Amino acid sequence: MTIEYATAYRRASRIPPEPGRPYFIEKGEGDRAHLFGDLVTVYAGGEQSENAFNFFTVEGPKGDIIPAHLHPDTYEVFYVTAGAVRVFVEDTGGDQQERLLIPGDFGFVPKNCPHAYRIERHHSQVVGVAAGPGGTFERFFENFGAPTEQLGLPHEPVVPAPEKFATIPQEYDVRFLPGHQWRADR
């Protein structure tokens, strides 16, 4: 049994709204959101860790590249648990890398490094952890995309309204990089 709590972000959440409280969540029962073709499930966030880190999963079908972006104050980890995910990253000196990650592979993206990813196989899953001096960005997914109680992928891609691109990303330490080119993806 998983207990539900009311939070500042949701009427019902399986994550307690305050730090310092131990809890357990059954598989898939975190705070879920659809964004693009993916299902994002948050298991721990800034509220629970005093903005020290967050922990989430992203599941999705084989698809398009997620838009290039960076986090000015947040470090991000990619750990693939199923399928295959290609991560594109550029260091602060402009050197680009891309790597296909398969189950058990790990990727680290420092703050201020442009990055993107593309799910290369259907039913892929990535575990993400983000931490940094600016806090965490887990509430970005439900505010930019759409909160859901559904356990699976969206039936149709959830594409944010144009006005959301102008406000929501900056609130959550996300800066999109329109027109950014990946040499390896041309």
Side-chain angles (χ1 to χ4, degrees):
M1 180 175 107
T2 303
I3 298 172
E4 288 192 353
Y5 304 88
T7 72
Y9 302 98
R10 294 174 166 263
R11 285 189 311 254
S13 173
R14 287 138 188 104
I15 304 172
E18 67 279 337
R21 184 175 201 162
Y23 63 96
F24 303 93
I25 298 177
E26 295 174 19
K27 180 181 179 181
E29 289 295 321
D31 291 349
R32 295 181 297 278
H34 287 149
L35 181 56
F36 304 116
D38 299 340
L39 170 66
V40 179
T41 306
V42 175
Y43 292 92
E47 303 91 21
Q48 295 73 43
S49 68
E50 298 175 332
N51 280 328
F53 73 93
N54 63 25
F55 183 96
F56 59 95
T57 60
V58 177
E59 300 173 56
K62 182 176 181 177
D64 295 330
I65 192 167
I66 297 303
H69 62 283
L70 60 79
H71 308 287
D73 291 317
T74 307
Y75 301 86
E76 189 171 3
V77 166
F78 292 81
Y79 182 80
V80 176
T81 58
V85 177
R86 187 171 306 276
V87 177
F88 302 83
V89 66
E90 182 176 307
D91 67 24
T92 56
D95 292 326
Q96 291 187 1
Q97 299 179 54
E98 59 93 9
R99 181 71 54 98
L100 180 67
L101 303 178
I102 60 174
D105 288 348
F106 171 91
F108 175 75
V109 178
K111 67 181 182 177
N112 277 315
C113 289
H115 60 284
Y117 69 90
R118 181 177 60 222
I119 294 178
E120 299 284 357
R121 294 186 191 141
H122 292 299
H123 309 291
S124 292
Q125 183 180 52
V126 178
V127 171
V129 175
T136 61
F137 60 72
E138 73 281 349
R139 297 298 171 195
F140 166 78
F141 303 111
E142 65 194 67
N143 285 288
F144 195 59
T148 185
E149 291 301 313
Q150 182 181 326
L151 288 171
L153 302 177
H155 298 295
E156 296 290 327
V158 174
V159 179
E163 60 272 11
K164 285 187 170 186
F165 281 89
T167 58
I168 290 175
Q170 294 82 7
E171 292 176 36
Y172 297 97
D173 196 38
V174 177
R175 196 173 100 210
F176 285 110
L177 305 169
H180 190 82
Q181 293 292 311
W182 299 107
R183 288 185 291 277
D185 194 44
R186 289 184 187 159

